[in-house]
Amino acid sequence: MPEASPALAEQFENLEQQREAARLGLWTFLATEILFFGGLFLGYIVYRHAYPHDFAVAGKRTNVFLGGANTAVLLTSSLTMALAVHAAQENRTKILVRCLLLTIFFGLVFLGVKALEYTQDIHEHLLPGPSFFAQGGSRAELFFYFYWAMTALHGFHVLVGICVLGVVAVLSARGHYSAGYHNLVELTGLYWHFVDIIWIFLYPLLYLIDRHS
Amino acid sequence: MKSHIVPTKTYFLIWAGLLVLLLLTRGIAEFDLGIINTAAALFIAGIKMLLVILFFMHVRYQSRVVWIFAAAGFLWFLIMVSLTMSDYLTRRAVESPYDAATTAHEISNR
C-alpha cells in the first residue's frame, strides 16, 4: 500500500526509509549550522576570557527584560511548532494550519521585539562604529560586535524560518500533507527548534551573565 | 520503524518546564555567586537544549543513527572550543597590535 503513495521517490523502498533519509539530511545541515554559529560562540568565549571585566560591564547594557520576554516567545513558538507536527501526524489539517500560523505569529513578535531593542541600543550609542560610546571603550565595543553579529545572524534565521513556515502553511491549507506524508512539516520543525536552541544560549551569554555585579 | 506520535500533553509539560527553567536562570542571575553564575546559566541552557532536542525534535523516539547525527555537530563544536581554550588558558597573554594601537591612540589623545 505505501508503495502506491505519490509522495514516495523512486530511490526509496518505502515512506519510512524516505523519512529517515530526510531526517538525517536535515540533521547534517544542522551540524553545519552549529559550526556556522560555533565560530561566533568560540570568538565570544575567547574574548570574554581575555577581557572579563569589560565584557561584564558591557553585558549589563543589554535589555534583560526584553531578552527574557523574547526567550519566552520563542519557547512558546517551539510549542506551537511541535503541536503543528503532531497535527500533521494525525492528519488534522485545520489544527495544522492554525498551529503553523501561530508559530509564524510568535516568530514575527520575536522579530518585532528585537527591532525595538535594536532601536533602543542605537539610541544608547551601543551600535559599534563612529557613534559607539560606552564604559569599557573598545573592549566594550568588541562585546557589542558579538552582540550584534550573533543576534542579527539569529534574527536572519528566524526570518528564513518564517518564510519557510509560510510556504508550508499554504501547502498544508491546500491539503498537501493529508496523505499521511508530512516530511516537510517535520523538517521545518527541526529547523525552527534548532533556531530556538541557538537563542537558548544567546540569552544567558548576552543578557544574563554578570547581571548581578 | 513507525513514526512515534507523542501525546500533546507531553509537549505542554515540556513547554512549562522550559518556562520554569527560564525563570530560574533569570532569578539566579540576580545573585552574585562568582563563577557559579556562569556555570549555572550554561547548565540550565544545556538542560533546556536537551528538552528541546529530545522531545520537540523527537530525537528520543528515533533510531540510533539519528542520535549520532544529532550529537555529531555539538561534539565537534565542543572539540573546537576545548582545543582552542586549551591554548588560551595555558599561554601567557600577548599584547595584540589592536591593543597597542588603541593604547597609543588613547595616550596621544591625553
Side-chain angles (χ1 to χ4, degrees):
Chain A
M1 176 55 203
E3 314 304 324
S5 168
L8 183 66
E10 61 179 316
Q11 68 268 34
F12 295 109
E13 287 281 324
N14 52 53
L15 283 179
E16 188 45 44
Q17 190 192 39
Q18 185 173 349
R19 195 170 283 146
E20 181 84 353
R23 241 175 238 148
L24 289 181
L26 204 104
W27 273 107
T28 308
F29 167 67
L30 292 185
T32 72
E33 286 274 62
I34 293 170
L35 297 179
F36 182 31
F37 278 98
L40 284 167
F41 276 104
L42 180 62
Y44 173 93
I45 294 168
V46 167
Y47 282 107
R48 198 194 148 79
H49 166 68
Y51 312 126
H53 179 69
D54 301 292
F55 266 50
V57 170
K60 268 194 277 193
R61 300 293 306 275
T62 54
N63 191 326
V64 72
F65 173 73
L66 290 183
N70 248 355
T71 312
V73 169
L74 263 201
L75 291 174
T76 309
S77 80
S78 262
L79 170 70
T80 55
M81 187 68 235
L83 292 176
V85 175
H86 184 266
Q89 286 172 332
E90 294 199 325
N91 287 336
R92 295 162 83 171
T93 307
K94 223 172 185 176
I95 299 179
L96 166 62
V97 175
R98 274 180 199 163
C99 286
L100 289 172
L101 291 179
L102 265 177
T103 312
I104 293 174
F105 169 74
F106 285 124
L108 289 173
V109 169
F110 176 87
L111 288 182
V113 173
K114 200 77 208 98
L116 178 69
E117 242 186 292
Y118 279 162
T119 318
Q120 285 182 354
D121 294 336
I122 292 171
H123 190 68
E124 292 175 21
H125 301 286
L126 296 178
L127 176 67
S131 67
F132 183 85
F133 182 78
Q135 195 193 340
S138 56
R139 289 169 179 182
E141 193 173 5
L142 194 55
F143 172 88
F144 278 97
Y145 273 117
F146 281 109
Y147 166 81
W148 284 85
M150 292 167 110
T151 54
L153 187 64
H154 175 267
F156 177 71
H157 277 76
V158 173
L159 190 63
V160 170
I162 288 172
C163 296
V164 176
L165 280 170
V167 173
V168 174
V170 169
L171 292 177
S172 306
R174 287 186 189 161
H176 275 244
Y177 304 116
S178 52
Y181 186 73
H182 43 78
N183 242 359
L184 196 57
V185 184
E186 195 188 323
L187 298 187
T188 310
L190 288 179
Y191 174 80
W192 190 262
H193 295 311
F194 172 77
V195 174
D196 191 13
I197 289 173
I198 294 290
W199 186 263
I200 285 176
F201 281 95
L202 288 184
Y203 174 60
L205 292 183
L206 299 176
Y207 295 87
L208 275 189
I209 300 176
D210 299 312
R211 185 59 45 181
H212 55 82
S213 51
Chain B
M1 208 177 86
K2 283 292 305 160
S3 275
H4 184 98
I5 295 186
V6 184
T8 48
K9 194 181 150 202
T10 309
Y11 292 132
F12 280 101
L13 281 174
I14 295 298
W15 172 69
L18 287 168
L19 289 185
V20 168
L21 286 170
L22 169 62
L23 289 176
L24 183 67
T25 192
R26 177 66 190 91
I28 289 176
E30 285 300 309
F31 303 97
D32 189 357
L33 306 168
I35 189 71
I36 295 178
N37 276 115
T38 309
L42 290 178
F43 181 69
I44 291 174
I47 295 177
K48 283 157 84 182
M49 175 183 78
L50 280 180
L51 287 178
V52 172
I53 290 180
L54 291 179
F55 294 93
F56 283 173
M57 296 171 96
H58 296 155
V59 168
R60 178 166 186 242
Y61 312 101
Q62 278 162 4
S63 64
R64 294 291 145 185
V65 72
V66 173
W67 281 73
I68 293 171
F69 273 58
F74 294 101
L75 186 66
W76 257 261
F77 172 69
L78 287 180
I79 291 173
M80 180 165 79
V81 172
S82 359
L83 288 183
T84 308
M85 289 318 285
S86 69
D87 180 31
Y88 279 102
L89 288 171
T90 53
R91 199 157 49 84
R92 196 167 52 83
V94 179
E95 187 95 327
S96 76
Y98 177 71
D99 279 344
T102 315
T103 315
H105 177 69
E106 280 168 0
I107 289 169
S108 70
N109 275 358
R110 262 172 215 159

